[in-house]
Amino acid sequence: MGVDLLDIPSVAHVFACASEVFGRDMVQLVTGASAEELDDTRNAQAALSTLSVAAARACEECGVVPSAALGFSLGQVSALAVTGMLTDEETFRLVAIRSELMGEATYGRPGAMTALLKADPDEVEELCALCRRGQVLQPANFNCPGQIVVSGDISAIERVEEAWVARHKRFSRLATSGAFHSPLMHEAAIELDEYLVQVTFSEPRIPLICNVDARPLDAAHAREHLSAHLTHPVLFQQSVELLKGAGASLFVELGPGGVLSGLVRRVDRGLRCMAVQDKESLAVLAGVGQGTDPCPTPPPSQSGRP
């Protein structure tokens, strides 16, 4: 998980900052933690945010600077640091508070998430209404065409999975510890909003496309959108389509994996994608992107805010 980037000064600085904020050795967490330990929401969010911000700083040190940023769920928070809306320290402090509140919410009322394959929005909305039965059940992630994640009470998720199979379609249960991006996170959202009152956001250096409305985020709306983020769906597909419409052709995924690159390709196979998670992939990106403008600035929203 990004271990061979650690001798890059900016990466080492990010890990040191994160270790101080999270109160634990982040290098040890990403290199030596068990799968069970990393499954804990607090540890997972700390590790992923540290790796994402560190990879972004490594890109900047190589002279590769993005023209826009887009996160996916937790990546929305990491993008605050990448765009300069918060410092690295402020970002990790927000991650620590956010993950703690989300963890408490999952203990108070367990939930689950499942990905419905070959799904379309109207069918998923209709199925959620059919299977809800007074419980929480709603679309949580619009990943890409044909893949929508739903989130809610465990028994409601089981009903929707059964109904989906009855329609001769497949699903994939997510390995999450709770029903994120659903009303089951309501209490966490309220407490997060109370914390965000004391946070001062700067205007982003580059546009940050918000998960909540698939529009560029500004400082004046950051608090309400980050609070709503816990209970509202992630509009990832719509955000990619916004950037594509603005002329973006190269999307760079920061951090371990490559899942988001796969989703972007499913939105449009003509889009180029790269994942930076080690020195080899960083070197490839530096050769491709240095001195270029791979992701043009999207247009302002029709509401008048950027």
Side-chain angles (χ1 to χ4, degrees):
M1 297 178 74
V3 176
D4 73 341
L5 295 174
L6 282 169
D7 60 354
I8 298 175
S10 57
V11 172
H13 177 76
V14 169
F15 268 82
C17 176
S19 296
E20 183 174 349
V21 173
F22 292 120
R24 65 172 303 168
D25 185 341
M26 293 305 299
V27 174
Q28 188 281 326
L29 179 64
V30 302
T31 59
S34 65
E36 182 180 4
E37 188 176 4
L38 283 171
D39 279 343
D40 183 285
T41 298
R42 288 159 291 194
N43 292 332
Q45 292 198 27
L48 290 171
S49 61
T50 301
L51 288 163
S52 296
V53 174
R57 299 298 178 231
C59 291
E60 292 171 358
E61 193 163 329
C62 288
V64 179
V65 181
S67 294
L70 165 63
F72 185 103
S73 194
L74 174 64
Q76 171 88 62
V77 182
S78 301
L80 296 171
V82 176
T83 60
M85 294 190 76
L86 294 178
T87 66
D88 291 357
E89 181 180 355
E90 291 168 336
T91 297
F92 294 140
R93 192 175 299 120
L94 173 54
V95 170
I97 295 292
R98 180 180 183 272
S99 61
E100 185 69 30
L101 294 174
M102 293 173 71
E104 291 174 358
T106 63
Y107 295 140
R109 187 171 172 182
M113 304 176 73
T114 193
L116 303 180
L117 309 180
K118 294 186 177 180
D120 69 70
D122 289 341
E123 184 179 17
V124 170
E125 290 284 2
E126 176 264 325
L127 192 66
C128 285
L130 179 68
C131 298
R132 191 171 288 125
R133 298 183 190 175
Q135 293 185 301
V136 169
L137 183 66
Q138 73 171 41
N141 303 335
F142 291 88
N143 291 347
C144 62
Q147 187 181 123
I148 299 174
V149 174
V150 295
S151 180
D153 286 299
I154 295 174
S155 56
I157 290 293
E158 291 171 346
R159 287 194 296 273
V160 84
E161 290 172 340
E162 182 179 351
W164 200 243
V165 170
R167 298 185 183 194
H168 307 289
K169 297 186 179 183
R170 296 184 298 116
F171 67 87
S172 178
R173 181 73 70 94
L174 274 59
T176 62
S177 57
F180 305 134
H181 302 292
S182 84
L184 291 185
M185 293 290 115
H186 177 68
E187 292 300 322
I190 292 176
E191 294 188 52
L192 181 63
D193 187 70
E194 293 174 354
Y195 168 77
L196 291 173
V197 171
Q198 60 186 302
V199 176
T200 300
F201 294 92
S202 299
E203 293 298 338
R205 294 190 296 264
I206 57 174
L208 192 172
I209 310 305
C210 182
N211 285 174
V212 174
D213 59 2
R215 300 299 305 170
L217 181 67
D218 61 12
H221 297 84
R223 172 190 167 193
E224 64 182 272
H225 279 70
L226 288 168
S227 300
H229 192 225
L230 296 188
T231 57
H232 286 61
V234 172
L235 304 182
F236 186 75
Q237 176 185 337
Q238 295 88 333
S239 298
V240 172
E241 290 170 343
L242 174 74
L243 289 171
K244 173 195 169 186
S249 59
L250 174 60
F251 287 75
V252 180
E253 181 175 356
L254 303 176
V259 173
L260 299 186
S261 296
L263 296 182
V264 170
R265 291 189 185 97
R266 290 189 62 178
V267 173
D268 187 327
R269 294 197 176 278
L271 297 173
R272 299 174 63 198
C273 300
M274 300 180 66
V276 173
Q277 51 191 316
D278 52 29
K279 283 184 177 178
E280 181 179 359
S281 54
L282 178 63
V284 172
L285 174 64
V288 171
Q290 194 165 13
T292 68
D293 186 18
C295 189
T297 301
S301 68
Q302 298 302 309
S303 66
R305 70 180 179 90

